[in-house]
Amino acid sequence: VQLQASGGGLVQAGGSLRLSCAASGRTFSSYAMGWFRQAPGKEREFVTAIRWSGGSTYYTDSVKGRFTISRDNAKNTVYLQMNSLKPEDTAVYYCAAARAAIVSTIRLLSSYNYWGQGTQVTVSS
C-alpha cells in the first residue's frame, strides 16, 4: 500500500482544512487508517483512526468535536476534516495504514505498516 497525503496549508485560528490520503492497492478497504501528527521538537502522536468498515472511529481527546475522520473505500481515500483549528494543531500530519490493528492498539504508531509522506498544517493565531 502506498499513501499520498494532501490538503495541508496555512489557516487562521478558528478556520478549517480537509486533509486527504489517497491509497494505492486493492486491499485498501481491509486496512484500518489513521492520522498522526508531529510538531517541531515533539514526538509523533496519534490523532484519529477509522476501522476498515468505517463504522468505528477513534480520536485523541484534544481533537474530539473538532476533527472528523471518514473514508471512501470506493475511492481508496481517507479524509480528515479539521474545524475550529487552534495554533496547537500546527504540525506535519501523516496518514497511515494498519493491517491488523485492534481496538486496544489502534492508537499506537507501531500498529501501522504503511505511512504517507506527511502534509504541513500551520494554524496562525
Side-chain angles (χ1 to χ4, degrees):
V1 175
Q2 292 184 325
L3 305 174
Q4 180 72 39
S6 62
L10 173 64
V11 64
Q12 288 188 332
S16 298
L17 283 173
R18 188 175 83 153
L19 306 184
S20 298
C21 177
S24 63
R26 293 182 292 177
T27 59
F28 169 79
S29 61
S30 66
Y31 286 74
M33 299 296 296
W35 287 96
F36 292 76
R37 66 186 179 187
Q38 187 166 18
K42 295 187 176 182
E43 294 185 350
R44 193 171 299 187
E45 63 174 1
F46 171 80
V47 177
T48 180
I50 187 167
R51 298 294 296 276
W52 68 272
S53 65
S56 298
T57 56
Y58 310 85
Y59 297 91
T60 193
D61 286 346
S62 63
V63 308
K64 284 181 181 177
R66 299 189 299 123
F67 290 11
T68 302
I69 189 171
S70 61
R71 68 190 295 163
D72 186 336
N73 287 338
K75 295 182 178 179
N76 279 7
T77 302
V78 63
Y79 304 99
L80 179 60
Q81 178 66 45
M82 305 186 294
N83 299 328
S84 302
L85 282 161
K86 304 176 181 180
E88 51 264 43
D89 295 318
T90 295
V92 177
Y93 283 70
Y94 299 88
C95 62
R99 282 195 298 265
I102 58 177
V103 173
S104 61
T105 63
I106 203 166
R107 290 174 172 83
L108 302 179
L109 273 73
S110 59
S111 295
Y112 292 80
N113 309 99
Y114 304 98
W115 292 83
Q117 85 288 2
T119 184
Q120 176 71 47
V121 172
T122 303
V123 184
S124 63
S125 58

